Amino acid sequence: MSDFDLVVIGSGPGGYVAAIRASQLGLKVAIVERENLGGICLNWGCIPTKALLKSGEKFESLSHLKEYGLSASGASFDFDAIIQRSRGVAKQLNQGVGFLMKKNKIEVIEGTAKLEKGSAAPKVVVTLNKGGEKVLNAKSVMLAVGARARALKQIGLEADGDKIWAYRDALAPKKLPKTFVVIGSGAIGIEFASFYRALGADVTVVEAIDRIMPVEDEEVSKAAQKGFEKRGIKFKTGAKVTKVTKTASGVSVAIEVGGKAETLEAEVCISAVGITANTDGIGLEALGVELDRGHIKTDGHCQTNVKGLYAIGDCAGAPWLAHKASHEGIHAAEHIAGFATPNVNSPIAGCTYAQPQVASVGVTEQGAREAKREVKIGRFPFRVNGKAIASGETEGFVKVIFDAKTGALIGAHMIGHEVTEMIQGYVTAITMEATEEDIHGIVYPHPTMSEAMHEAALDAYGRVIHI
């Protein structure tokens, strides 16, 4: 039996970051992981997908060399090498987390955890991977157990690693299929569609809503679809999937669009219809932990209704993003250590790393209208931005939304080259409660694509310079 100030269950970007911060604050910390340090994000999610997407982007760019006065012949790719590079990147970061655990004197326990009633906090019983059992007592326990791909067994949409893939299967396939049906047009579905299309596969994306990327601003969503279609990705929107059937040659996906039945055939179907929190089998019911549609309910400090038990990241609900999990993990660790931390609800950016990239933070235009908020909206296209023209990256635009009464920036939406690197400027502005005067007064370096951020803010108030 071991005693700790904090036991963290799960070592993804929420769990391992929380463990480090708690250790920095002088707490004795253990972290329990049943598989790989770094969790899904580092091993099977955020990081390896970006490695694949970069390979796809580099290969796709070879077809545009003439536009830059360059030429090359015989361009090709080694699919196995692309996959192995991605796995190598994941392995490097996994080892990096292991180093950080040792550096911060965090005890790593490899096994599967289950909660039982305890005194100050629930008791953690770990079934060790190497055999046997270990019981951990702690003053606080933090659940960072993440989520897994959602299955829809009733329509046959359940990953088998062969003809129906979830994200893990799509990251390390044995061969490159020529045809895909991707079900779901959120970030995961769009990113895989973008990667496989860049390597020449025939890709059709099916979305139940009447537009792709439904969480994004409608204007950006429409522009994104045009950009993806330009690259050869096909879409079926407003399409209900009624049945997924495995066939001798692959899969048959039955859909219903506008009351009419259609069938899509492909070698592989990628399921990207959402996630399910990993809350089953860890003893939550016996403890009386409150759930909301399968996710753990928490307060403004990530505390559950059970004394000493915290929950962060995907298992605690939307948005299901790695940086949100890290933010919550640090906040909860500081709260456990006795800091008078403010409420955890900070603006969180959403990013999709396809070609073109999409990034956003805050309210959408339609969301503001539905809330009957009076707003001022500004836009600026990259096609008239000097750096974008020089770089040959003129696709897309920046859109900002201000509260008309207060001047506060309340939303920002971007589509274009590397906008996922630019969105943080607006995240900072919203976090610091910036107004239009603050943003208008910022001096942006020239030439940069970030100047479009300034011009969009100027446009909202009739002051735009370059259009």
Side-chain angles (χ1 to χ4, degrees):
M1 185 172 292
S2 302
D3 293 311
F4 297 90
D5 294 309
L6 172 64
V7 171
V8 180
I9 302 174
S11 70
Y16 87 77
V17 167
I20 290 172
R21 183 61 183 136
S23 181
Q24 289 175 343
L25 295 172
L27 302 185
K28 184 181 179 183
V29 184
I31 193 164
V32 181
E33 174 56 56
R34 65 183 179 185
E35 195 171 357
N36 303 116
L37 286 173
I40 292 298
C41 177
L42 268 64
N43 294 284
W44 296 102
C46 326
I47 300 301
T49 56
K50 304 312 165 282
L52 293 181
L53 285 161
K54 178 55 71 172
S55 291
E57 178 189 342
K58 291 288 188 182
F59 184 70
E60 190 177 38
S61 70
L62 296 176
S63 62
H64 301 287
L65 289 179
K66 188 176 180 180
E67 299 170 14
Y68 296 88
L70 305 172
S71 64
S73 60
S76 63
F77 62 84
D78 182 331
F79 185 63
D80 289 340
I82 289 172
I83 298 300
Q84 288 308 310
R85 176 181 179 272
S86 172
R87 300 315 309 151
V89 169
K91 182 179 179 181
Q92 180 181 342
L93 288 170
N94 164 263
Q95 292 172 340
V97 174
F99 166 77
L100 291 172
M101 296 298 97
K102 291 179 181 178
K103 176 186 175 183
N104 289 279
K105 299 179 175 58
I106 297 162
E107 183 173 338
V108 177
I109 301 167
E110 297 178 347
T112 301
K114 186 171 183 178
L115 302 178
E116 295 182 359
K117 288 186 178 180
S119 52
K123 183 166 56 178
V124 181
V125 180
V126 184
T127 301
L128 301 172
N129 290 349
K130 62 183 180 182
E133 188 177 273
K134 191 169 187 175
V135 179
L136 311 176
N137 286 320
K139 296 175 183 176
S140 299
V141 173
M142 188 183 302
L143 293 173
V145 293
R148 62 188 181 276
R150 184 182 175 202
L152 298 176
K153 297 180 182 180
Q154 65 273 25
I155 61 169
L157 189 59
E158 185 176 17
D160 64 358
D162 180 22
K163 297 175 180 179
I164 301 176
W165 292 357
Y167 55 82
R168 284 200 181 207
D169 310 306
L171 279 165
K174 297 176 182 177
K175 64 176 183 177
L176 174 61
K178 295 180 180 179
T179 56
F180 288 87
V181 170
V182 178
I183 302 178
S185 71
I188 293 174
I190 289 296
E191 288 181 3
F192 280 124
S194 183
F195 167 66
Y196 282 107
R197 177 58 196 155
L199 298 187
D202 183 286
V203 181
T204 300
V205 178
V206 178
E207 172 55 56
I209 308 299
D210 61 1
R211 62 185 178 90
I212 71 167
M213 307 180 79
V215 301
E216 299 294 345
D217 185 88
E218 189 170 350
E219 193 173 349
V220 170
S221 172
K222 290 178 179 178
Q225 182 167 339
K226 288 181 181 178
F228 300 144
E229 287 175 336
K230 180 181 176 183
R231 289 166 173 80
I233 299 174
K234 293 172 282 189
F235 292 93
K236 292 286 186 180
T237 57
K240 178 184 178 182
V241 178
T242 56
K243 188 69 176 176
V244 178
T245 306
K246 286 183 265 189
T247 66
S249 59
V251 288
S252 175
V253 180
I255 62 174
E256 188 177 289
V257 185
K260 296 181 180 180
E262 296 183 31
T263 302
L264 304 174
E265 304 284 345
E267 289 181 48
V268 167
C269 172
I270 297 180
S271 174
V273 293
I275 61 172
T276 300
N278 291 325
T279 53
D280 49 320
I282 57 176
L284 300 187
E285 297 83 0
L287 292 174
V289 177
E290 292 182 2
L291 302 178
D292 180 12
R293 288 173 292 182
H295 292 88
I296 301 168
K297 292 179 67 174
T298 59
D299 65 10
H301 297 298
C302 305
Q303 295 179 110
T304 72
N305 64 304
V306 173
K307 180 184 176 183
L309 182 63
Y310 291 71
I312 64 168
D314 288 357
C315 70
W320 298 283
L321 301 168
H323 43 291
K324 174 254 195 184
S326 297
H327 172 66
E328 288 181 341
I330 290 172
H331 178 101
E334 292 179 349
H335 188 262
I336 289 167
F339 280 65
T341 49
N343 192 284
V344 74
N345 296 317
S346 298
I348 303 291
C351 299
T352 301
Y353 300 82
Q355 290 296 320
Q357 292 185 1
V358 173
S360 60
V361 63
V363 302
T364 62
E365 179 181 354
Q366 56 270 28
R369 302 293 187 197
E370 289 168 5
K372 295 183 169 33
R373 297 185 72 167
E374 187 180 345
V375 296
K376 287 184 177 291
I377 296 174
R379 301 172 182 81
F380 195 81
F382 287 120
R383 61 181 168 76
V384 291
N385 172 271
K387 178 65 179 298
I389 294 170
S391 302
E393 301 289 357
T394 57
E395 183 176 20
F397 59 88
V398 176
K399 176 179 180 178
V400 290
I401 303 171
F402 291 91
D403 184 285
K405 294 180 180 179
T406 65
L409 178 67
I410 59 174
H413 309 274
M414 302 178 176
I415 179 170
H417 180 67
E418 294 295 353
V419 294
T420 58
E421 298 291 339
M422 295 164 59
I423 192 65
Q424 188 57 35
Y426 284 140
V427 175
T428 300
I430 294 176
T431 301
M432 300 185 73
E433 300 180 349
T435 66
E436 90 285 359
E437 290 185 354
D438 297 318
I439 298 174
H440 290 173
I442 294 173
V443 180
Y444 285 76
H446 174 78
T448 64
M449 291 183 70
S450 67
E451 289 175 278
M453 297 168 65
H454 191 209
E455 293 271 21
L458 292 170
D459 181 57
Y461 287 83
R463 295 177 53 184
V464 65
I465 301 296
H466 287 98
I467 52 175

